[in-house]
Structure formats: structure tokens, C-alpha cells
């Protein structure tokens, strides 16, 4: 049986002046997960948010918090985000020296552990860690900014990953895709294998964010 496909709005494109309202809006509209983009000004040029905001969100919503760490030296910050209430914690393959240790650290706390791959990073770098993962986050843009265009090669990468998980009997691992997901490509992306679809600007910059989430859910429900 196929998993329920989930929508994870990225609050990077929300209005931080009224972040609480913007979270309520997506929860009421039927979003499944909140995607939180943490950037450190080193791994990517921009600085965004830290554990303080994650803790505040945790108090405001029942949706799981999906924390995407685009930071160097992730091991120093894993505990801080776990304490703040992350439900999923994802680190970048490209930013980690001791990936196995960090994944174990996340899992030992009962948090879902994810690894993210940049568009140029091949899937086979995960060969020796894949069995330990709960989530694989495939970047479909270069990390750092919302509002970029979906990189078409990601479709092949998703299909390959889906096949790898099937061959290895690891289909419980969730495949997430992040960047450039819109109403007009979400069907193709989900059809290629993505279980969790992150969308920032497509939702928060839409004229009617709630209607956009509902429309996305309708499209996904036809694929399930
Ligand atoms: C990019 C972030 C994304 C971003 C996606 O570095 O990881 O989560 O918010 O934004 P959109 O959906 O606008 O491409
Ligand atoms: Zn992200």
C-alpha cells in the first residue's frame, strides 16, 4: 500500500511578523508537516532561525516539525534542536564529517533522522548509511533561498531512489523533496516517488495559501 503523500509548507516564505497566524493558516488548510529551514550564513549565505523559534512553533501547532539544518558542524546543534521539539531532524551530507554518529545521536533521542543531498550529490553516497535513516531529503534547488525553479534532473533522482528503497526493502524510509514545488509540477514530483512535498513560495506567496494547500492535497489524493 502506498503511503499518504504529505504537504510540508516551508515557513521560510511566511510572514514572520505574524508567524503564529501563518502556522494556524496552514494547519487549518490541511497541511501535514511544518518545514523549518535553518541556515547559518556559512553552509548557505543566509542566516535564518534557530531553536528558539522551533520551541515557539512547537507550542503553537500539533503538526510535526521538520527541521532542515543547512548548517556547518551540525553535531554542535543537534541537541539544541531536539530539546526545542524537532520531530524530524535532517542534516546535509555535504556538511557532515561524522554522519553515522550524528544520525545515531538524533535517533537515540527518538527523533526521526534525515539526510539531505544537494542537487550535485549522487544517491550512492548514502549506500553505507541508508539502513539507519528515517528520511531522505532530495534538494530540487540549491539550498539557501526560497522561490527558485525546480531542477528537472530531480525527477530521475527520485525515481532511482524509490527503486533503491524497493530493492533494499526499505520502503518505510520517507522521501522528501524540497525546492520549486508548485501546483503545476507537484503531480509529476509525487508520482516520481516523493512522499513529503515541501513548498514555500508556492503556498505562502499565493493569493490564497489555504486554497493552494487544498488544491495540492486534491492532486495528491488522486495519486495515492
Ligand atoms: C531552500 C529551502 C527550501 C525553501 C523552498 O534552501 O530548503 O525549504 O524554503 O522554497 P520554495 O518552495 O519557494 O522553492
Ligand atoms: Zn528546506
Amino acid at each position: 500500500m502506498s503511503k499518504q503523500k504529505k504537504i510540508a509548507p516551508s515557513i521560510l516564505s511566511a510572514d514572520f511578523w505574524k508567524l503564529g497566524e501563518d502556522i494556524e493558516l496552514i494547519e487549518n488548510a490541511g497541511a501535514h508537516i511544518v518545514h523549518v529551514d535553518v541556515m547559518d550564513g556559512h553552509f548557505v549565505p543566509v542566516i535564518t532561525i534557530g531553536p528558539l523559534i522551533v520551541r515557539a512553533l512547537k507550542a503553537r501547532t500539533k503538526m510535526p516539525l521538520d527541521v532542515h539544518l543547512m548548517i556547518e558542524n551540525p553535531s554542535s546543534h543537534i541537541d539544541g534542536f531536539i530539546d526545542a521539539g524537532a520531530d524530524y531532524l535532517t542534516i546535509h551530507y555535504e556538511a557532515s564529517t561524522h554522519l553515522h554518529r550524528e544520525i545515531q545521536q538524533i535517533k537515540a533521542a527518538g527523533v526521526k533522522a534525515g539526510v539531505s543531498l544537494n542537487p550535485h550529490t549522487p544517491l550512492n553516497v548514502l549506500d553505507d548509511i541508508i539502513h539507519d535513516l528515517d528520511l531522505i531529503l532530495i534538494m530540487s534547488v540549491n539550498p539557501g533561498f526560497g522561490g527558485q525553479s525546480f531542477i528537472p534532473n530531480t525527477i530521475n533522482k527520485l525515481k532511482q531512489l524509490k527503486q533503491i528503497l524497493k530493492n533494499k526493502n526499505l520502503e518505510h524510509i520517507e522521501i522528501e523533496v524540497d525546492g520549486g514545488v508548485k501546483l503545476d509540477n507537484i503531480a509529476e514530483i509525487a508520482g516520481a516517488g516523493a512522499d513529503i512535498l515541501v513548498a514555500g513560495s508556492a503556498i505562502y506567496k499565493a493569493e490564497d495559501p489555504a486554497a493552494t494547500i487544498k488544491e495540492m492535497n486534491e492532486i495528491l489524493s488522486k495519486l495515492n
Side-chain angles (χ1 to χ4, degrees):
M1 210 184 73
S2 58
K3 303 177 198 116
Q4 189 201 0
K5 308 264 182 199
K6 298 174 192 161
I7 297 175
S10 162
I11 57 164
L12 191 61
S13 292
D15 183 345
F16 276 65
W17 181 77
K18 56 177 181 64
L19 188 55
E21 273 172 53
D22 273 6
I23 296 290
E24 253 168 45
L25 185 159
I26 60 169
E27 186 155 25
N28 293 336
H32 305 93
I33 293 175
V34 186
H35 185 80
V36 183
D37 287 306
V38 176
M39 305 187 186
D40 66 349
H42 294 280
F43 182 66
V44 290
V46 177
I47 297 177
T48 56
I49 65 189
L52 267 179
I53 302 279
V54 172
R55 192 179 297 279
L57 292 173
K58 189 75 186 170
R60 183 85 186 209
T61 179
K62 290 193 176 63
M63 290 180 288
L65 302 181
D66 170 31
V67 179
H68 176 194
L69 296 184
M70 285 162 276
I71 63 173
E72 283 177 7
N73 196 14
S75 57
S76 318
H77 301 283
I78 285 172
D79 287 340
F81 284 100
I82 289 172
D83 286 352
D87 295 282
Y88 292 82
L89 196 52
T90 296
I91 53 186
H92 264 264
Y93 168 80
E94 300 84 4
S96 168
T97 314
H98 300 288
L99 190 56
H100 180 269
R101 182 158 62 211
E102 287 154 4
I103 293 299
Q104 305 312 321
Q105 193 184 342
I106 296 170
K107 286 171 60 130
V111 171
K112 289 190 179 179
V115 170
S116 181
L117 301 183
N118 273 340
H120 72 274
T121 305
L123 294 169
N124 63 17
V125 300
L126 296 178
D127 280 355
D128 291 321
I129 191 80
I130 197 161
H131 293 86
D132 292 317
L133 302 179
D134 298 302
L135 175 112
I136 298 170
L137 171 51
I138 300 296
M139 290 306 300
S140 42
V141 297
N142 288 294
F145 309 95
Q148 304 179 79
S149 299
F150 184 85
I151 297 172
N153 181 53
T154 314
I155 294 292
N156 291 327
K157 208 168 179 180
L158 290 169
K159 286 181 182 164
Q160 279 177 41
L161 177 56
K162 178 99 185 147
Q163 193 58 46
I164 290 168
L165 296 183
K166 194 167 179 204
N167 294 347
K168 293 183 188 278
N169 232 344
L170 293 173
E171 284 172 294
H172 60 277
I173 299 176
E174 293 184 281
I175 302 175
E176 180 172 34
V177 70
D178 186 4
V181 177
K182 312 266 176 226
L183 271 174
D184 63 5
N185 61 12
I186 195 169
E188 188 188 10
I189 297 166
D195 304 303
I196 302 176
L197 296 116
V198 177
S201 53
I203 290 174
Y204 279 115
K205 304 290 183 212
E207 215 167 284
D208 187 342
T212 304
I213 291 172
K214 284 180 189 142
E215 230 177 298
M216 285 179 164
N217 265 331
E218 271 164 37
I219 294 170
L220 295 180
S221 67
K222 289 186 190 132
L223 297 169
N224 272 326

